Amino acid sequence: MANFIKPYNDDPFVGHLATPITSSAVTRAILQNLPAYRFGLTPLLRGLEIGLAHGYFLIGPFVKLGPLRNSDIGLLAGFLSTIGLIIILTLGLTIYGVAAFDEGKSEVVDNDLQTKKSWDQFKGGFFVGACGSASFAFICLSSIPTFTTK
């Protein structure tokens, strides 16, 4: 086992271990296809894609595990809870952007999420994407007979 796990790039001061999982080409390819690391995306499109994924899966736990799951308004309550969580997450992104980025620094390319302007675009894309996909999931759950509980 000691032959497989060693310091990353043979530098023990990096604080990262190179294992067959973390240093494989498959893992690197999967991580490079995530919207946060993919080249050529604007911050708005990065936020939109991340928001689409999160809004779509956040509604499920609220609908199936929420306190109103057995009532007639369980789906609506789950949808409204999802929108509330998306607003809270967007507020968290806003607070991080205010605390982390200074408007005076503009040495970095706008597509890098390291400026206030690009972070604001990312945050807006996240909010629109998450609300849109949560709405789409709500429409699918309410109109497809297979997914309705009653």
Side-chain angles (χ1 to χ4, degrees), residues 17-78:
L17 292 175
T19 66
I21 302 293
T22 59
S23 60
S24 72
V26 173
T27 304
R28 200 170 301 122
I30 289 171
L31 290 177
Q32 285 177 347
N33 275 331
L34 291 175
Y37 304 115
R38 195 176 319 137
F39 293 108
L41 287 179
T42 64
L44 182 68
L45 289 178
R46 286 181 204 274
L48 189 67
E49 189 171 345
I50 292 170
L52 283 170
H54 284 79
Y56 192 73
F57 76 77
L58 281 177
I59 194 169
F62 285 117
V63 170
K64 291 295 181 186
L65 302 174
L68 296 174
R69 64 181 171 258
N70 293 328
S71 68
D72 291 335
I73 60 166
L75 183 59
L76 180 63

